[in-house]
Amino acid sequence: MSFTLEGRTALVTGSGRGIGLAIARRLLTAGANVMLNDLDEALLLDALAHLPHPERVRHVTGDLTVPTTPTSVVEATLNAFGGIDIIVNNAGYTWDSVIQKTTDEQFQAMLDIHLVTPFRILRAASDYLRSTAKSESANNQRVMRKVVNITSIAGTDGNPGQVGYSSAKAGVIGLTKTLAKEWGRYNVNVNAVGFGLIETRLVQPITGGDATMQMHGHEIRVGLQPAILDSLKDSCPLRRLGTPEEAAGAVLFFCSPLSDYVTGEVLICGGGMHF
């Protein structure tokens, strides 16, 4: 069955690279308008230079953990395209430690980006989504809109060394299931995709010195030792990591008309792997 997202507008957070960029590309290819968002302006400009259909892409830079930014991002999307039909809450990163080494700041940082940020984005969009649905209903129209929150098998299963990340991603599931019940009356499908190990910088093999990323004044280690990465691949039924494009395919399903009668669900895209 074929479908088109022509005339639909999507907001994808954390779309400067990796999975978020792959999701944006999939949505554009399907016909949607897309608002990109990331912390790094340079990443967004590079993404714009390589994405198809640039006439249907806009971008807004901002740190989503700043309380006012989610509202600004939603407003920028409405101003640029006149509406929002799809929201993909993808932005995030990992900052790992076992519990005795996890600081309050570190734990809160994981909650802020993975759980508080999606809450604020969706709260900011709620007035538009509810008022638009009420207007359409008054005209005997039913237009399905989509929310896709990103969780993880660390949130469904837990994962040693990721107490903050796992807690936040578990919270995303509660957020998803609650909003599915609150927003069903407004014809909004609210679902989540839980990723396993996907080929991004966060799980790149460490060769030589430690790979790091800068976040809010902290240098955070990323990547995995090659032996650990190989062991994880061996424990996955498909014996490999997923690609960002495969991850985006699972998200695309929830953004499409194929999922119009699916809500409050969590789809695991992890190659059969469980921690």
Side-chain angles (χ1 to χ4, degrees), residues 189-218:
N189 302 113
V190 186
N191 293 291
V193 175
F195 295 134
L197 291 177
I198 307 295
E199 291 175 351
T200 68
R201 62 179 176 149
L202 300 180
V203 296
Q204 64 186 312
I206 299 173
T207 56
D210 290 345
T212 61
M213 60 179 285
Q214 297 291 327
M215 187 62 66
H216 298 144
H218 294 277

Side-chain angles (χ1 to χ4, degrees), residues 12-261:
V12 184
T13 67
S15 45
R17 71 170 100 206
I19 295 170
L21 182 55
I23 292 167
R25 183 176 289 108
R26 280 290 187 104
L27 292 171
L28 282 165
T29 301
N33 307 311
V34 176
M35 176 63 81
L36 306 177
N37 160 261
D38 208 282
L39 184 63
D40 190 328
E41 175 81 4
L43 278 178
L44 290 174
L45 293 176
D46 184 64
L48 284 168
H50 294 92
L51 283 171
H53 310 292
E55 73 281 2
R56 290 194 270 109
V57 188
R58 301 291 185 274
H59 77 285
V60 55
T61 307
D63 181 353
L64 291 172
T65 62
V66 174
T68 57
T69 301
T71 297
S72 298
V73 169
V74 169
E75 289 177 349
T77 307
L78 292 171
N79 291 335
F81 296 110
I84 298 179
D85 304 287
I86 298 165
I87 298 173
V88 182
N89 283 307
N90 169 76
Y93 64 98
T94 55
W95 190 0
D96 297 343
S97 288
V98 290
I99 192 168
Q100 66 269 25
K101 296 181 179 180
T102 299
T103 65
D104 285 358
E105 180 187 13
Q106 186 177 355
F107 188 80
Q108 189 62 52
M110 292 292 91
L111 297 181
D112 285 345
I113 188 58
H114 293 288
L115 182 55
V116 177
T117 286
F119 158 73
R120 286 176 174 156
I121 288 275
L122 296 172
R123 182 178 61 184
S126 64
D127 283 348
Y128 171 80
L129 294 174
R130 290 184 297 111
S131 64
T132 304
K134 289 175 182 177
S135 176
E136 289 163 347
S137 178
N139 291 302
N140 295 315
Q141 294 176 306
R142 183 174 63 210
V143 178
M144 303 304 297
R145 291 183 172 83
K146 311 287 182 171
V147 171
V148 186
N149 296 320
I150 302 304
T151 184
S152 167
I153 59 174
T156 57
D157 299 351
N159 192 34
Q162 291 192 315
V163 63
Y165 180 78
S166 298
S167 298
K169 288 302 192 184
V172 167
I173 297 173
L175 176 66
T176 299
K177 290 183 176 291
T178 296
L179 277 189
K181 293 180 177 181
E182 289 189 8
W183 285 3
R185 73 190 71 181
Y186 305 121
N187 299 318
V188 181
N189 302 113
V190 186
N191 293 291
V193 175
F195 295 134
L197 291 177
I198 307 295
E199 291 175 351
T200 68
R201 62 179 176 149
L202 300 180
V203 296
Q204 64 186 312
I206 299 173
T207 56
D210 290 345
T212 61
M213 60 179 285
Q214 297 291 327
M215 187 62 66
H216 298 144
H218 294 277
E219 191 168 281
I220 299 171
R221 292 178 59 187
V222 297
L224 296 170
Q225 293 294 336
I228 294 175
L229 194 56
D230 288 341
S231 175
L232 289 170
K233 290 179 184 178
D234 288 342
S235 69
C236 175
L238 293 184
R239 297 295 191 270
R240 63 179 177 85
L241 304 186
T243 67
E245 291 71 28
E246 289 171 324
V251 173
L252 180 63
F253 166 69
F254 279 143
C255 295
S256 79
L258 301 179
S259 64
D260 278 358
Y261 200 63

